[in-house]
Amino acid sequence: MPAAEGPRELPPALLTDPEMIRACRIRDFATIFALVRRRARIYPSRIAALCGMTPSRVGEIAAGRRKLAHIDVIERVADGLRIPGAMLGLAHRPWEIPAQATLTEPEPQPAPPPPATPVADLDSILNLVDATQVTRSTLAAIQSSIQDYWRRDDQHGPAALRPAVVGQLRHTQQLIDNTRESPLRHGLLTLAAELARLAGWAYFDARQFSTARTYFAKALTMAQSVGDRQFIANVLSCMSLQATYEGDANDAAALACAAQDTARGTDSPDLVMAMLHMREASPTPRCTPATTATDPSTKHARTSNGPTTPVPHSGCGTSTRRS
């Protein structure tokens, strides 16, 4: 049998015709074939090709001499003539189900992208270069910056300096981490301690006491690592002053005593000791941090040993950092 052309849809008017509906319901294929021939112009030979039957068999069915009883043959007629399954008492035919309603396997979800590589901040990038180039000039440049910070603090107050000081401290700590034990590393630790003390003073002036205490503690740790007892006494004096303004007289006196004990036997203890005795004797604050710059006892101190970094307005003590 020659290959049949693909099936075509029956006219909607034919599928909704009461006679067609009744014939399908009782499976009267003689009437169905007659209506298809008359209303859709599909002749017996074409019906035979579409339904997988011989023309003679189609003729016998159309003449009423043969009935269709096998379900598979009835399904072939429904599929070949595109008669909806429900009209013939069948399940929905595959071609009746819309393409979008066909169940398909869900598409696999794309794998999540790998975590983005963190972008190094500017300090880290600069540190990669500077880590192998620490020289005495590096230390001199940082020392000069610290002296400039103290000068600007004296002129304008520390509020605007905090970001610069904290950034300089972070950069100096990165240089320390990448520098082998040497006099240069010792010098970096000394400068980092001074920057930490300056950062603590800036936050103390802003009454951010908890942050100030954190930076003072950093300054103590680094000063202890280089064995600078006079600077340790200076930082303890700063912490004593802060305890005073926080209203904790006991801590203020205890810190002042610790600073005195540390300062004894150092090269230039006189000014530190004098201010600490005043602090110990009168732990009650007489002014607020914002007004300490007007107190004559809090002016910058210098020793006879040469240039030093200034003392913060708080009167924390002296520093004998040589430039």
Side-chain angles (χ1 to χ4, degrees):
M1 181 183 300
E5 297 179 11
R8 66 181 182 182
E9 300 289 338
L10 295 178
L14 174 57
L15 292 175
T16 57
D17 186 281
E19 187 180 4
M20 181 67 167
I21 294 172
R22 184 170 54 255
C24 289
R25 185 172 63 249
I26 65 176
R27 294 181 177 175
D28 181 0
F29 288 98
T31 302
I32 291 172
F33 288 170
L35 289 170
V36 168
R37 184 184 71 247
R38 186 170 67 250
R39 302 279 296 275
R41 303 293 182 181
I42 301 176
Y43 296 98
S45 59
R46 175 76 173 133
I47 292 174
L50 292 173
C51 299
M53 295 187 290
T54 63
S56 61
R57 187 177 182 186
V58 171
E60 290 175 352
I61 294 170
R65 295 193 300 269
R66 191 165 182 172
K67 302 292 185 181
L68 290 183
H70 293 289
I71 193 68
D72 60 332
V73 179
I74 295 173
E75 288 176 344
R76 289 209 308 269
V77 172
D79 293 339
L81 298 180
R82 287 296 192 260
I83 299 173
M87 293 181 69
L88 293 169
L90 304 173
H92 286 295
R93 310 308 301 150
W95 49 268
E96 294 183 77
I97 302 174
Q100 61 269 26
T102 303
L103 296 178
T104 57
E105 290 292 329
E107 294 185 6
Q109 294 296 322
T117 303
V119 179
D121 58 23
L122 181 59
D123 287 338
S124 299
I125 295 172
L126 293 176
N127 182 58
L128 293 175
V129 178
D130 291 343
T132 58
Q133 299 180 359
V134 175
T135 64
R136 291 188 178 277
S137 295
T138 305
L139 271 60
I142 297 174
Q143 177 67 40
S144 177
S145 296
I146 293 173
Q147 292 172 342
D148 183 59
Y149 292 147
W150 281 122
R151 280 193 296 269
R152 285 190 283 168
D153 168 61
D154 190 36
Q155 295 169 359
H156 309 293
L161 296 178
R162 286 197 299 270
V165 172
V166 171
Q168 182 79 65
L169 172 59
R170 184 168 62 247
H171 179 62
T172 303
Q173 288 176 312
Q174 289 175 332
L175 293 178
I176 292 170
D177 292 341
N178 290 279
T179 302
R180 293 191 300 272
E181 194 64 43
S182 65
L184 290 177
R185 191 175 191 275
H186 186 282
L188 286 171
L189 282 166
T190 300
L191 294 171
E194 179 64 22
L195 285 165
R197 184 182 71 130
L198 177 53
W201 162 244
Y203 280 101
F204 165 66
D205 185 75
R207 306 189 71 85
Q208 297 183 32
F209 295 137
S210 177
T211 305
R213 191 177 299 107
T214 298
Y215 281 106
F216 285 145
K218 283 186 178 182
L220 276 179
T221 299
M222 287 182 281
Q224 287 171 339
S225 70
V226 296
D228 190 336
R229 292 177 57 201
Q230 186 158 334
F231 188 79
I232 293 171
N234 192 301
V235 177
L236 288 170
S237 175
C238 291
M239 298 178 77
S240 172
L241 180 67
Q242 177 171 314
T244 299
Y245 283 104
E246 289 184 276
D248 194 335
N250 291 332
D251 281 3
L255 287 165
C257 289
Q260 290 173 17
D261 293 341
T262 304
R264 289 189 181 95
T266 58
D267 292 340
S268 304
D270 297 341
L271 182 56
V272 176
M273 294 293 287
M275 289 196 299
L276 288 170
H277 282 305
M278 292 173 59
R279 183 85 35 75
E280 183 182 21
S282 179
T284 304
R286 293 173 296 174
C287 55
T288 64
T291 62
T292 54
T294 61
D295 189 341
S297 68
T298 64
K299 294 299 182 182
H300 294 176
R302 292 181 182 273
T303 70
S304 60
N305 294 330
T308 63
T309 56
V311 175
H313 296 160
S314 64
C316 291
T318 61
S319 171
T320 58
R321 302 267 181 260
R322 292 180 180 274
S323 57

